[in-house]
Amino acid sequence: MSQSYNRGLIEDFGRWREFTAGMWAWIFHKFTGWVLIGYLFTHIAVLSTATAGDTVYTDTLQGLEGLLIVRVMEVGLLAVAVFHIINGVRLLFVDLGVGLESQDKSFYVSLVVTAVIVLASVPTFMQGAFG
C-alpha cells in the first residue's frame, strides 16, 4: 500500500526566507552556469561574423563596444564568471573535505571577493564609454 505525504503548496514562494547560505550558493552557482552557457552561444554568434567579410567582424565589435548597455552587460558577465569560478573552487575544497565546518562563511567570502574584483574592474570596463 502506498502512502502520500503533504508536501505543501508548490506556489509557496515565501519559502525563500528559509533558505540557508548553502541553498543560495547552489542557486547562484546554477544560475551563473546557465548564464555562462547562454553567453557561449552569443559569443559563437558574434564570432561567426568573422567569416562574413573583411570588416564585418571588426565593425560588429566596434558597434557593440560603443553601446553603454553592452559595457554594463560585460561587467555583469565578469561578475557571473568570477563568482562561478570562486564558488567552484570553494566547492572543490568542500568536496576534498577542506572547510566543511565553515561552508557558510566561505560562501560569504566568495561573494565579497567577487564584489571587490567586479567593483575594481568597473573603471576599466567603462573607460571611453562616455566620450
Side-chain angles (χ1 to χ4, degrees), residues 29 83-93:
H29 198 74
F83 173 77
H84 196 79
I85 291 167
I86 292 173
N87 194 53
V89 171
R90 182 189 73 84
L91 290 173
L92 176 67
F93 283 126

PDB file of all heavy atoms in Angstrom, residues 29 83-93:
ATOM      1  N   HIS A  29      25.110  29.341  -8.090  1.00  0.00           N
ATOM      2  CA  HIS A  29      26.034  28.587  -8.932  1.00  0.00           C
ATOM      3  C   HIS A  29      25.313  28.045 -10.163  1.00  0.00           C
ATOM      4  O   HIS A  29      25.851  28.102 -11.278  1.00  0.00           O
ATOM      5  CB  HIS A  29      26.678  27.453  -8.133  1.00  0.00           C
ATOM      6  CG  HIS A  29      27.910  26.905  -8.761  1.00  0.00           C
ATOM      7  ND1 HIS A  29      29.100  27.584  -8.760  1.00  0.00           N
ATOM      8  CD2 HIS A  29      28.142  25.754  -9.427  1.00  0.00           C
ATOM      9  CE1 HIS A  29      30.018  26.880  -9.395  1.00  0.00           C
ATOM     10  NE2 HIS A  29      29.450  25.753  -9.805  1.00  0.00           N
ATOM     11  N   PHE A  83      32.188  34.930  -9.891  1.00  0.00           N
ATOM     12  CA  PHE A  83      31.504  34.193  -8.822  1.00  0.00           C
ATOM     13  C   PHE A  83      31.493  32.701  -9.126  1.00  0.00           C
ATOM     14  O   PHE A  83      31.734  31.880  -8.236  1.00  0.00           O
ATOM     15  CB  PHE A  83      30.067  34.678  -8.614  1.00  0.00           C
ATOM     16  CG  PHE A  83      29.333  33.814  -7.636  1.00  0.00           C
ATOM     17  CD1 PHE A  83      29.557  33.945  -6.284  1.00  0.00           C
ATOM     18  CD2 PHE A  83      28.464  32.824  -8.069  1.00  0.00           C
ATOM     19  CE1 PHE A  83      28.919  33.114  -5.369  1.00  0.00           C
ATOM     20  CE2 PHE A  83      27.824  31.990  -7.173  1.00  0.00           C
ATOM     21  CZ  PHE A  83      28.049  32.141  -5.817  1.00  0.00           C
ATOM     22  N   HIS A  84      31.211  32.330 -10.364  1.00  0.00           N
ATOM     23  CA  HIS A  84      31.143  30.910 -10.710  1.00  0.00           C
ATOM     24  C   HIS A  84      32.493  30.231 -10.493  1.00  0.00           C
ATOM     25  O   HIS A  84      32.547  29.111  -9.977  1.00  0.00           O
ATOM     26  CB  HIS A  84      30.679  30.754 -12.164  1.00  0.00           C
ATOM     27  CG  HIS A  84      30.223  29.380 -12.500  1.00  0.00           C
ATOM     28  ND1 HIS A  84      28.985  28.908 -12.156  1.00  0.00           N
ATOM     29  CD2 HIS A  84      30.848  28.368 -13.158  1.00  0.00           C
ATOM     30  CE1 HIS A  84      28.856  27.665 -12.580  1.00  0.00           C
ATOM     31  NE2 HIS A  84      29.984  27.308 -13.196  1.00  0.00           N
ATOM     32  N   ILE A  85      33.559  30.913 -10.853  1.00  0.00           N
ATOM     33  CA  ILE A  85      34.901  30.348 -10.662  1.00  0.00           C
ATOM     34  C   ILE A  85      35.234  30.221  -9.177  1.00  0.00           C
ATOM     35  O   ILE A  85      35.667  29.163  -8.708  1.00  0.00           O
ATOM     36  CB  ILE A  85      35.954  31.207 -11.381  1.00  0.00           C
ATOM     37  CG1 ILE A  85      35.795  31.078 -12.896  1.00  0.00           C
ATOM     38  CG2 ILE A  85      37.368  30.817 -10.956  1.00  0.00           C
ATOM     39  CD1 ILE A  85      36.568  32.118 -13.683  1.00  0.00           C
ATOM     40  N   ILE A  86      35.027  31.298  -8.426  1.00  0.00           N
ATOM     41  CA  ILE A  86      35.383  31.277  -6.999  1.00  0.00           C
ATOM     42  C   ILE A  86      34.524  30.272  -6.242  1.00  0.00           C
ATOM     43  O   ILE A  86      35.022  29.514  -5.400  1.00  0.00           O
ATOM     44  CB  ILE A  86      35.268  32.685  -6.396  1.00  0.00           C
ATOM     45  CG1 ILE A  86      36.352  33.583  -6.993  1.00  0.00           C
ATOM     46  CG2 ILE A  86      35.373  32.646  -4.882  1.00  0.00           C
ATOM     47  CD1 ILE A  86      36.242  35.030  -6.599  1.00  0.00           C
ATOM     48  N   ASN A  87      33.230  30.243  -6.540  1.00  0.00           N
ATOM     49  CA  ASN A  87      32.359  29.287  -5.866  1.00  0.00           C
ATOM     50  C   ASN A  87      32.706  27.859  -6.277  1.00  0.00           C
ATOM     51  O   ASN A  87      32.640  26.940  -5.464  1.00  0.00           O
ATOM     52  CB  ASN A  87      30.889  29.591  -6.163  1.00  0.00           C
ATOM     53  CG  ASN A  87      29.960  28.848  -5.246  1.00  0.00           C
ATOM     54  OD1 ASN A  87      30.093  28.911  -4.033  1.00  0.00           O
ATOM     55  ND2 ASN A  87      29.010  28.143  -5.819  1.00  0.00           N
ATOM     56  N   GLY A  88      33.120  27.662  -7.519  1.00  0.00           N
ATOM     57  CA  GLY A  88      33.542  26.338  -7.962  1.00  0.00           C
ATOM     58  C   GLY A  88      34.781  25.860  -7.227  1.00  0.00           C
ATOM     59  O   GLY A  88      34.870  24.694  -6.828  1.00  0.00           O
ATOM     60  N   VAL A  89      35.725  26.756  -7.016  1.00  0.00           N
ATOM     61  CA  VAL A  89      36.922  26.403  -6.238  1.00  0.00           C
ATOM     62  C   VAL A  89      36.536  26.113  -4.797  1.00  0.00           C
ATOM     63  O   VAL A  89      37.036  25.151  -4.186  1.00  0.00           O
ATOM     64  CB  VAL A  89      37.980  27.531  -6.324  1.00  0.00           C
ATOM     65  CG1 VAL A  89      39.117  27.290  -5.358  1.00  0.00           C
ATOM     66  CG2 VAL A  89      38.500  27.653  -7.748  1.00  0.00           C
ATOM     67  N   ARG A  90      35.620  26.910  -4.250  1.00  0.00           N
ATOM     68  CA  ARG A  90      35.126  26.667  -2.887  1.00  0.00           C
ATOM     69  C   ARG A  90      34.491  25.287  -2.790  1.00  0.00           C
ATOM     70  O   ARG A  90      34.760  24.524  -1.856  1.00  0.00           O
ATOM     71  CB  ARG A  90      34.111  27.746  -2.509  1.00  0.00           C
ATOM     72  CG  ARG A  90      33.569  27.625  -1.110  1.00  0.00           C
ATOM     73  CD  ARG A  90      32.411  28.586  -0.874  1.00  0.00           C
ATOM     74  NE  ARG A  90      31.204  28.157  -1.550  1.00  0.00           N
ATOM     75  CZ  ARG A  90      30.338  27.266  -1.046  1.00  0.00           C
ATOM     76  NH1 ARG A  90      30.569  26.710   0.117  1.00  0.00           N
ATOM     77  NH2 ARG A  90      29.263  26.938  -1.719  1.00  0.00           N
ATOM     78  N   LEU A  91      33.685  24.929  -3.783  1.00  0.00           N
ATOM     79  CA  LEU A  91      33.041  23.614  -3.785  1.00  0.00           C
ATOM     80  C   LEU A  91      34.057  22.490  -3.933  1.00  0.00           C
ATOM     81  O   LEU A  91      33.894  21.412  -3.351  1.00  0.00           O
ATOM     82  CB  LEU A  91      32.008  23.539  -4.907  1.00  0.00           C
ATOM     83  CG  LEU A  91      30.766  24.385  -4.718  1.00  0.00           C
ATOM     84  CD1 LEU A  91      29.904  24.348  -5.968  1.00  0.00           C
ATOM     85  CD2 LEU A  91      29.977  23.915  -3.512  1.00  0.00           C
ATOM     86  N   LEU A  92      35.097  22.735  -4.704  1.00  0.00           N
ATOM     87  CA  LEU A  92      36.164  21.737  -4.852  1.00  0.00           C
ATOM     88  C   LEU A  92      36.805  21.459  -3.496  1.00  0.00           C
ATOM     89  O   LEU A  92      37.007  20.302  -3.121  1.00  0.00           O
ATOM     90  CB  LEU A  92      37.208  22.222  -5.853  1.00  0.00           C
ATOM     91  CG  LEU A  92      38.426  21.321  -6.044  1.00  0.00           C
ATOM     92  CD1 LEU A  92      38.011  20.015  -6.704  1.00  0.00           C
ATOM     93  CD2 LEU A  92      39.470  22.024  -6.864  1.00  0.00           C
ATOM     94  N   PHE A  93      37.118  22.516  -2.754  1.00  0.00           N
ATOM     95  CA  PHE A  93      37.702  22.326  -1.424  1.00  0.00           C
ATOM     96  C   PHE A  93      36.738  21.603  -0.486  1.00  0.00           C
ATOM     97  O   PHE A  93      37.146  20.729   0.287  1.00  0.00           O
ATOM     98  CB  PHE A  93      38.123  23.664  -0.813  1.00  0.00           C
ATOM     99  CG  PHE A  93      39.406  24.202  -1.377  1.00  0.00           C
ATOM    100  CD1 PHE A  93      39.469  25.480  -1.905  1.00  0.00           C
ATOM    101  CD2 PHE A  93      40.555  23.433  -1.392  1.00  0.00           C
ATOM    102  CE1 PHE A  93      40.642  25.985  -2.433  1.00  0.00           C
ATOM    103  CE2 PHE A  93      41.745  23.916  -1.918  1.00  0.00           C
ATOM    104  CZ  PHE A  93      41.781  25.192  -2.443  1.00  0.00           C
TER     105      PHE A  93
END
